[in-house]
Amino acid sequence: MKIDKKSLIMAAILSVAALSLSVPWVSHAEEERHEAVKRRSGDHEEEGERHDIIRAQQNKDKNRAPFPESALYKQECSSCHFLYHPGLLPLRSWEAVIQNSDKHFGENLSLEDKIKDDLLSYFYEHSAEKTDSKWARRILSWSAPSVPARITEQPFIIREHRKIQKSVFKRPSINSFSNCGACHPKGAEGDFDEDSVEIPAK
Ligand code: HEC
Ligand code: HEC
């Protein structure tokens, strides 16, 4: 076959046209891939939140987890502060609290070994891992694998309170972020639902 000048030029024009058309296609496909990867590896926060909304609809009580009563826990751990629901920390943190109870935020709790063991058994049964509530699940997934020493230093707890001004925590009837019961009147019953929050004015 004889290749004439005309068809050579035609072929050249066609391949330039194809190239210029394929460039946007390539970049578009690339973009789509990026989007898909972003969606998949995605913002865990949003992902978790979407699941949470579905779960909350399935069970409106999911922000409430009954307080597992224990006379011993109440006796040993509520004289200086709010009696924290055991679902507010992962087990590894409660273990650290008990292990370091002679240096407890500047206090020596002077716990006997038997009492330490009994408290550990209680936390073993009722830590965040064993608590069926939305907040406990998020406390767990957001703090892993760290060992938070405080409830108030956990990312999920910090995030939920990020809109509250520092000065609010200093109001006399609140005094500190750690004083959960001041704003969560049902917190002692394991109810931290935003519907039952009441921030004291003074
Ligand atoms: C002698 C007083 C006292 C007793 C009893 C006591 N604590 Fe504390 N606890 C403190 C102090 C002080 C802090 C630090 C408070 C602050 O910085 O606002 C604290 C803080 C905490 C925190 C961190 C709160 C936060 O900010 O997230 C946890 C958890 C905790 N205590 C658990 C326990 C447990 C469990 C027991 C029982 C074994 C216990 N406490 C008994 C004095 C006490
Ligand atoms: C100054 C008042 C105040 C104090 C003190 C406080 N909270 Fe809150 N908390 C709030 C408010 C307000 C919200 C609702 C935030 C929102 O949804 O906009 C909230 C939300 C929460 C949520 C999320 C509830 C949901 O519906 O998802 C949890 C869990 C929680 N608080 C636990 C705690 C714990 C545990 C403590 C103590 C260590 C504490 N809070 C101390 C005011 C407070």
Side-chain angles (χ1 to χ4, degrees):
M1 197 178 75
K2 189 177 162 252
I3 304 171
D4 60 16
K5 210 174 164 188
K6 212 167 148 196
S7 54
L8 257 179
I9 292 169
M10 204 53 200
I13 288 172
L14 274 177
S15 52
V16 167
L19 201 71
S20 66
L21 275 177
S22 70
V23 168
W25 291 343
V26 166
S27 63
H28 187 64
E30 187 79 347
E31 232 170 66
E32 289 234 58
R33 232 186 346 264
H34 275 298
E35 281 304 312
V37 169
K38 248 196 272 171
R39 275 198 298 275
R40 246 178 293 132
S41 67
D43 194 348
H44 285 285
E45 189 178 308
E46 256 179 43
E47 180 94 328
E49 225 140 40
R50 251 201 320 279
H51 284 286
D52 284 341
I53 290 166
I54 296 165
R55 283 203 203 95
Q57 281 160 350
Q58 287 166 342
N59 185 349
K60 288 198 191 316
D61 278 347
K62 279 306 173 210
N63 265 332
R64 301 171 185 90
F67 197 102
E69 298 295 336
S70 155
L72 178 71
Y73 180 43
K74 194 171 178 182
Q75 178 192 308
E76 299 296 337
C77 307
S78 68
S79 55
C80 303
H81 50 66
F82 182 75
L83 186 63
Y84 300 113
H85 192 294
L88 289 168
L89 283 172
L91 179 62
R92 57 188 183 278
S93 294
W94 289 122
E95 285 172 339
V97 168
I98 299 301
Q99 267 153 27
N100 304 324
S101 59
D102 56 337
K103 304 181 285 287
H104 182 78
F105 304 95
E107 303 280 343
N108 183 350
L109 303 185
S110 311
L111 300 176
E112 287 167 24
D113 285 348
K114 168 85 173 85
I115 298 209
K116 284 187 194 173
D117 286 348
D118 290 350
L119 285 172
L120 280 173
S121 308
Y122 173 76
F123 290 128
Y124 189 77
E125 290 297 318
H126 302 294
S127 64
E129 288 87 341
K130 300 288 177 76
T131 300
D132 183 20
S133 82
K134 190 174 102 176
W135 50 263
R137 270 197 303 276
R138 296 170 94 191
I139 277 173
L140 269 186
S141 60
W142 288 46
S143 65
S146 69
V147 186
R150 286 177 177 267
I151 293 156
T152 51
E153 75 178 36
Q154 301 180 104
F156 167 63
I157 295 291
I158 292 170
R159 196 195 100 122
E160 288 296 308
H161 300 87
R162 73 194 180 286
K163 290 185 199 144
I164 303 172
Q165 291 190 347
K166 295 270 173 291
S167 61
V168 172
F169 291 114
K170 295 203 183 98
R171 290 177 187 167
S173 62
I174 302 174
N175 190 40
S176 138
F177 185 9
S178 309
N179 191 13
C180 324
C183 306
H184 297 278
K186 296 182 182 168
E189 300 156 33
D191 179 351
F192 293 101
D193 197 87
E194 53 193 12
D195 293 344
S196 39
V197 174
E198 282 171 40
I199 301 182
K202 285 183 187 161

